[in-house]
Amino acid sequence: MPIPLPYWLLYTPGNMVRAGVVVAALMLALYTYLGVSLVLSKMHRGFIPITMVIAFVIGFALLLARLAIPALVILVIAYVMLIGTYAVLISVATTRASKALWGVATIILTLIPPILIGGGLAVMNYIKYMALIEQATAIIASAIETWKLGVGQ
């Protein structure tokens, strides 16, 4: 039997910035939960998602304080830690399909910066499509894991 969504998940703000902040907050909360769960299970890999969340929050705070260069440095560190977080997700995935999807998402995340640096604005649409594919593979991998843990046992 499917679990019904809480009503607060159906909230869609009219402002796109607010929607982005809501999505970022949910993402950070889920990665924090992942990290804390792994650390409590005596898996030190959990410190990678926790470090990514801390770096992202610090980088965002620096952006709000109008300190662009330090924020850029911290957000690059957060991006590298996001790639590490995907590697952690590969290591704890329970099915081969989700491991493969997390692997594809990790490869795409790794390829985006060099392509963007090498191509500049000419490859911006290509980068957007790569990011969409990366997000889709991450969502499908999460759905497979959720199904496996909920129904497939």
Side-chain angles (χ1 to χ4, degrees), residues 2-55:
I3 301 171
L5 281 176
Y7 288 114
W8 60 271
L9 283 176
L10 300 174
Y11 169 71
T12 54
N15 187 342
M16 285 303 283
V17 174
R18 285 189 193 149
V21 170
V22 168
V23 168
L26 287 173
M27 177 195 75
L28 294 176
L30 290 173
Y31 282 134
T32 303
Y33 177 76
L34 169 70
V36 169
S37 297
L38 290 174
V39 169
L40 291 177
S41 299
K42 307 286 189 239
M43 294 183 176
H44 297 294
R45 297 175 273 206
F47 289 115
I48 294 173
I50 292 171
T51 306
M52 187 270 301
V53 169
I54 292 169

Side-chain angles (χ1 to χ4, degrees), residues 12 110 116:
T12 54
T110 306
L116 187 59

Side-chain angles (χ1 to χ4, degrees), residues 73-133:
V73 171
I74 298 296
L75 289 173
V76 166
I77 292 169
Y79 188 82
V80 171
M81 295 306 290
L82 178 64
I83 295 171
T85 299
Y86 276 37
V88 167
L89 286 166
I90 293 170
S91 71
V92 297
T94 58
T95 64
R96 287 185 297 176
S98 61
K99 284 183 184 195
L101 288 167
W102 283 119
V104 169
T106 304
I107 290 168
I108 291 172
L109 273 179
T110 306
L111 290 175
I112 287 175
I115 291 172
L116 187 59
I117 290 170
L121 294 176
V123 295
M124 189 56 72
N125 284 335
Y126 183 66
I127 295 296
K128 284 194 284 189
Y129 292 126
M130 284 180 69
L132 287 172
I133 292 169

Side-chain angles (χ1 to χ4, degrees), residues 53-67:
V53 169
I54 292 169
F56 186 84
V57 169
I58 291 170
F60 193 67
L62 288 171
L63 275 177
L64 291 176
R66 298 179 187 209
L67 299 169

